[in-house]
Amino acid sequence: MNREGILNAKRIVVKIGTHSLLNSQNQINYYRIDRLALALSTLIQEGKEVILVTSGAIGVGSVKMGLTTRPTDMASQQATAAVGQVALMNLYSRSFNYYNQYIGQILLTRDIIDFPDSYNNYKNAMNALLGQKILPIINENDAVAVDEMDHQTRFGDNDTLSALVASTMDADLLIFLTDVDGFYDDNPKRNPDAVRFDVLHEVTDHLMDMAKGDVSAFSTGGMETKLIAANEALKDGQMTVIMSSEDPMQILDLVKGQSIGTLFMPK
């Protein structure tokens, strides 16, 4: 099916999840982080405006602190996130610095988006970074975000956050890097005959039912949240791709129109 529309994507949001930053032994995947840095640095060098939304503060923090599972109580999660956010940005800083690409950190909570003054400041800061060819790296501020009835500051998961960033920053394309190479009509890990969707123009209830499934020990998102995000992007006239994080360099082939992952494209 026709993917020519992706060739014109100028502003691109890339989201990488915790599961993609860690290997199968729940260790930091240094090679993948390096390949991601090279791919995004190359996109910027080619004139694209790129925003990275990253999960991983709690996951990386757990690795650094020697934990085997994600903490369950809020205080421990926030403490682990505080440790992990520093380690995560250090990893990104070293990798992107090798390719002479400046990065800037933005930590968000929902109230920043909800209030006009802070929302305008967020957009101004983002546009200033992009205008200077600096890569904004966005994460939810897990160390302080809360999810109480009278003061909700959490986004819930970074799939939702990335969709919101794509919408507020008028992105052309949102890319989800995941542990599967697209969206399938069945779980490809269990069914070898599962078929990958190439291009979709809507997110139906039937597709949502297909997307329900498990998440990893350190992550909170899943395919269902990605489809919800893709649906919101379609409403805004934006494209979304769900693709494998195994080799982030495939992003360069994707934006050239190659059939990689599943593309959600407005009609």
Side-chain angles (χ1 to χ4, degrees):
M1 298 180 69
N2 195 331
R3 284 177 171 242
E4 288 186 5
I6 209 168
L7 301 175
N8 298 321
K10 169 70 174 177
R11 181 169 288 186
I12 301 170
V13 175
V14 177
K15 188 266 178 177
I16 189 165
T18 301
H19 191 273
S20 297
L21 295 171
L22 305 178
N23 62 24
S24 58
Q25 288 78 44
N26 283 327
Q27 300 168 329
I28 295 169
N29 194 323
Y30 297 105
Y31 176 81
R32 189 169 294 163
I33 293 172
D34 177 77
R35 296 297 88 183
L36 177 67
L38 176 56
L40 301 191
S41 299
T42 302
L43 284 179
I44 295 171
Q45 191 176 60
E46 293 176 350
K48 307 289 188 182
E49 295 178 333
V50 183
I51 300 167
L52 176 62
V53 177
T54 182
S55 298
I58 293 178
V60 171
S62 297
V63 172
K64 290 292 185 180
M65 297 169 68
L67 306 179
T68 56
T69 58
R70 181 187 177 94
T72 55
D73 65 283
M74 181 59 70
S76 295
Q77 288 181 16
Q78 291 177 318
T80 306
V83 172
Q85 188 62 37
V86 175
L88 183 61
M89 288 306 298
N90 186 44
L91 288 168
Y92 283 132
S93 180
R94 284 188 296 175
S95 294
F96 280 98
N97 184 62
Y98 184 80
Y99 300 108
N100 297 314
Q101 176 58 54
Y102 289 113
I103 63 173
Q105 177 181 239
I106 303 253
L107 296 177
L108 293 179
T109 51
R110 182 175 287 277
D111 50 356
I112 291 175
I113 303 297
D114 291 340
F115 290 94
D117 287 345
S118 58
Y119 173 69
N120 287 332
N121 288 337
Y122 145 74
K123 289 201 68 172
N124 290 339
M126 291 286 289
N127 283 316
L129 289 169
L130 294 172
Q132 298 178 61
K133 300 186 183 302
I134 299 171
L135 172 75
I137 299 183
I138 296 178
N139 197 358
E140 183 169 9
N141 196 348
D142 291 319
V144 300
V146 296
D147 195 12
E148 299 174 356
M149 290 296 290
D150 59 343
H151 188 60
Q152 292 185 338
T153 63
R154 295 189 62 82
F155 293 99
D157 60 79
N158 277 4
D159 293 340
T160 301
L161 172 59
S162 61
L164 191 59
V165 169
S167 175
T168 56
M169 294 307 300
D170 300 316
D172 304 304
L173 174 64
L174 170 61
I175 300 174
F176 286 110
L177 297 176
T178 74
D179 59 346
V180 292
D181 63 343
F183 178 50
Y184 283 75
D185 61 359
D186 197 3
N187 189 330
K189 295 179 180 179
R190 293 194 290 261
N191 180 6
D193 297 321
V195 177
R196 175 175 63 89
F197 294 101
D198 184 46
V199 179
L200 293 168
H201 297 290
E202 60 181 347
V203 177
T204 64
D205 291 340
H206 181 56
L207 293 179
M208 288 300 302
D209 289 337
M210 293 181 187
K212 295 177 180 177
D214 299 330
V215 296
S216 68
F218 289 130
S219 63
T220 57
M223 191 60 71
E224 186 177 9
T225 58
K226 291 170 179 59
L227 256 65
I228 292 172
N231 190 45
E232 292 302 312
L234 286 173
K235 293 176 182 177
D236 290 334
Q238 298 167 329
M239 297 174 289
T240 301
V241 170
I242 298 173
M243 62 176 285
S244 172
S245 62
E246 184 68 26
D247 181 10
M249 289 295 288
Q250 283 193 312
I251 295 174
L252 302 179
D253 297 323
L254 170 74
V255 299
K256 294 175 182 176
Q258 292 190 26
S259 179
I260 293 171
T262 299
L263 170 63
F264 295 81
M265 178 181 288
K267 292 182 180 178

